[in-house]
Amino acid sequence: MDASDHGMVDYAAFGKEVRDFALTHCPAELRQAVASLKKVGRHEMLTWQKILYAKGWGAPNWPVEHGGTGWDMRQRHIFDETLAECDCPTQPYQALRHIAPVLIEFGTEEQKRRYLPPILRGEAHWCQGYSEPGAGSDLASLKTQAERVGDEYVVNGQKTWTTGAHEADMMYALVRTAKGARKQDGITMLLIPMDTPGLLVRPIRTIDGLHNVNEVFFDDVRVPAANRVGEEGRAWAYGKFLLSHERLGGANVAPLLRLLARTRRMVVEEFRDAPETSQRAELERRILHAEAEIMAVRALGRRAIEDIVARRPLGTVSSVIKLASSNLMQTLDEIGLDATGRRLAARFRIAGDDRANAGEAGVEWLHNFLHGRARTIYGGSSEVQKNVLARTLFGD
Ligand SMILES: Cc1cc2nc3c(=O)[nH]c(=O)nc-3n(C[C@H](O)[C@H](O)[C@H](O)COP(=O)(O)OP(=O)(O)OC[C@H]3O[C@@H](n4cnc5c(N)ncnc54)[C@H](O)[C@@H]3O)c2cc1C
């Protein structure tokens, strides 16, 4: 039972408490970094996590006995939206929201004792080793091999697009331990310390000039069998459980609303000397259209929260929200680029160095546009979401 079951939560007061805390306790340089679309990695996430932990707000989505807050879904949603509105960094989501719920549900007592407290305290950074060359949307085709030798697994193969692998202490990885009748069978989840001999991280520089993602190579990497989560060969089910915990991430429209406001401000500034031009009118028409769609996503997200609270099935709403919110981010990036682009394009340098364009006024719009290309790929690509919707609407 949580607080909402007593019907006693004052959500407005709760939202105000979260906002006041965020504005007074989240360090200005972190909020500045988020507001100016800088890279947010290990340092930013763990610094903020330590502060939230000290307040007792470290793990809103965990059960109380492991350090959770006991908040209901609505409070958790208000918490996430309010922190995003205040430009706070995201919490270390791969640790806190991805692997931790899996460990709580399927891990051994020793794994919970060892891994959960450092995650809660903001002392451990994790990465997700799922995708491989040839196994992205079709994840079940993954080939990284783990062979059981005594009380260890010996891992060989490659992961790719691994966000934050270069800054992580641990990886939770899906590996193949057997060939089953279905390709979803024979997949096992291992917890792999990133400093294990034979593990090599190689950076991938993306089109935005940043280093966030990596290739990770395994050459006879020895992992204790005690680091296996759940049963051997059964990890497909754990992976699906993990995704269900993230199903409503896109329902948080605060980042979209923030970007909308920035886009609006920027158009006013760029066209200060030519406020009546048809180009400006067209940009404003596109902004209004995007705003209407964001309101629709917000309404869908709120209804989904009510459905969860009332324990009604969610259906495909998370696919609709993911599809719409990632498209909307890109739409706003495009509007920003169309407004600043002509002035900036000739000056922008992709130099594999975050600082190459520092100081160039408005350069974040070019950067954001390039950075945002990946939004419709990761977390389930738009085409894959459309397949989910089409199957529901029209059948297989
Ligand atoms: C910035 C970024 C960060 C990432 N971080 C991580 C991470 O931390 N850990 C991790 O494990 N992975 C990560 N990924 C990988 C991500 O999950 C995959 O890129 C994604 O699943 C798509 O897989 P793919 O790149 O192999 O493309 P593919 O699956 O090969 O898809 C290529 C194209 O074909 C389309 N397509 C594929 N299947 C179908 C279909 N059945 N019907 C119609 N169209 C289809 C896709 O939509 C896409 O347009 C990250 C990716 C990016 C870009």
Side-chain angles (χ1 to χ4, degrees):
M1 185 181 285
D2 59 38
S4 66
D5 294 317
H6 301 288
M8 288 184 330
V9 180
D10 179 343
Y11 293 105
F14 174 74
K16 183 176 180 320
E17 187 188 358
V18 174
R19 175 177 300 277
D20 289 347
F21 182 79
L23 294 178
T24 49
H25 286 76
C26 186
E29 70 270 18
L30 294 192
R31 295 178 51 221
Q32 179 76 37
V34 174
S36 55
L37 311 171
K38 296 245 170 62
K39 181 186 158 190
V40 171
R42 177 190 178 103
H43 167 72
E44 293 78 10
M45 288 195 233
L46 294 190
T47 302
W48 181 221
Q49 178 63 18
K50 286 187 175 84
I51 295 168
L52 289 172
Y53 167 67
K55 171 73 175 166
W57 289 354
N61 61 322
W62 292 9
V64 175
E65 63 267 30
H66 292 292
T69 53
W71 292 338
D72 64 38
M73 272 301 292
R74 224 170 281 149
Q75 284 174 293
R76 282 151 54 179
H77 187 64
I78 292 170
F79 180 74
D80 288 343
E81 276 213 344
T82 308
L83 295 191
E85 277 164 19
C86 296
D87 289 326
C88 300
T90 55
Q91 289 181 267
Y93 59 96
Q94 291 180 325
L96 202 76
R97 302 194 178 204
H98 291 181
I99 188 60
V102 174
L103 292 179
I104 289 168
E105 187 75 15
F106 305 106
T108 61
E109 287 312 308
E110 167 60 15
Q111 286 169 347
K112 291 178 205 174
R113 197 190 54 71
R114 182 156 177 200
Y115 297 116
L116 294 179
I119 291 176
L120 184 62
R121 293 194 298 259
E123 292 167 358
H125 202 55
W126 287 66
C127 63
Q128 178 190 66
Y130 278 20
S131 304
E132 299 180 2
S137 304
D138 183 16
L139 183 60
S141 293
L142 65 89
K143 291 194 171 62
T144 293
Q145 198 83 31
E147 191 189 342
R148 179 79 187 248
V149 180
D151 57 1
E152 291 179 323
Y153 286 97
V154 180
V155 182
N156 284 287
Q158 184 197 341
K159 296 290 172 185
T160 192
W161 303 119
T162 321
T163 302
H166 57 301
E167 302 179 318
D169 306 295
M170 295 288 298
M171 168 189 280
Y172 59 94
L174 292 180
V175 294
R176 185 159 294 287
T177 40
K179 274 210 167 102
R182 302 177 319 137
K183 59 186 176 184
Q184 289 84 355
D185 300 331
I187 294 175
T188 297
M189 185 181 282
L190 294 180
L191 310 176
I192 307 178
M194 294 301 284
D195 60 0
T196 312
L199 190 155
L200 176 74
V201 177
R202 212 158 66 186
I204 301 175
R205 287 275 175 190
T206 37
I207 193 171
D208 52 15
L210 294 183
H211 172 205
N212 277 327
V213 291
N214 306 272
E215 296 178 291
V216 181
F217 298 89
F218 303 87
D219 182 10
D220 282 340
V221 171
R222 304 183 89 85
V223 181
N227 285 22
R228 187 189 70 222
V229 180
E231 290 176 50
E232 186 174 289
R234 298 287 308 278
W236 193 249
Y238 313 146
K240 284 210 305 209
F241 174 87
L242 184 152
L243 290 177
S244 77
H245 268 258
E246 272 313 282
R247 61 191 168 180
L248 282 175
N252 178 358
V253 294
L256 274 170
L257 289 171
R258 227 175 33 198
L259 186 57
L260 180 81
R262 285 170 60 87
T263 312
R264 212 168 237 147
R265 273 200 309 275
M266 187 273 297
V267 168
V268 170
E269 278 159 29
E270 284 287 327
F271 287 84
R272 194 174 294 286
D273 299 332
E276 305 299 334
T277 57
S278 60
Q279 196 196 356
R280 174 176 167 167
E282 173 59 13
L283 290 169
E284 285 187 346
R285 186 195 65 75
R286 288 162 65 191
I287 289 174
L288 282 173
H289 198 265
E291 184 172 19
E293 285 192 32
I294 294 170
M295 293 305 124
V297 173
R298 174 147 82 178
L300 272 181
R302 289 194 172 159
R303 206 171 67 192
I305 301 291
E306 298 308 320
D307 285 343
I308 292 173
V309 171
R311 296 185 166 78
R312 289 189 290 267
L314 271 183
T316 52
V317 69
S318 55
S319 286
V320 177
I321 289 173
K322 163 68 173 72
L323 186 62
S325 55
S326 54
N327 279 338
L328 277 163
M329 277 282 186
Q330 290 187 343
T331 299
L332 291 168
D333 291 342
E334 279 162 21
I335 296 171
L337 191 64
D338 284 348
T340 56
R342 264 185 313 176
R343 184 169 60 76
L344 282 174
R347 304 155 73 106
F348 190 70
R349 282 176 296 144
I350 297 174
D353 180 345
D354 310 0
R355 291 159 302 178
N357 300 284
E360 200 69 72
V363 75
E364 68 273 19
W365 290 98
L366 276 168
H367 174 266
N368 204 31
F369 174 82
L370 296 171
H371 183 69
R373 296 295 84 198
R375 288 184 199 283
T376 46
I377 301 172
Y378 57 69
S381 74
S382 288
E383 290 77 12
V384 167
Q385 305 302 337
K386 285 178 185 168
N387 283 348
V388 171
L389 296 176
R391 265 198 300 278
T392 309
L393 290 172
F394 308 119
D396 277 321

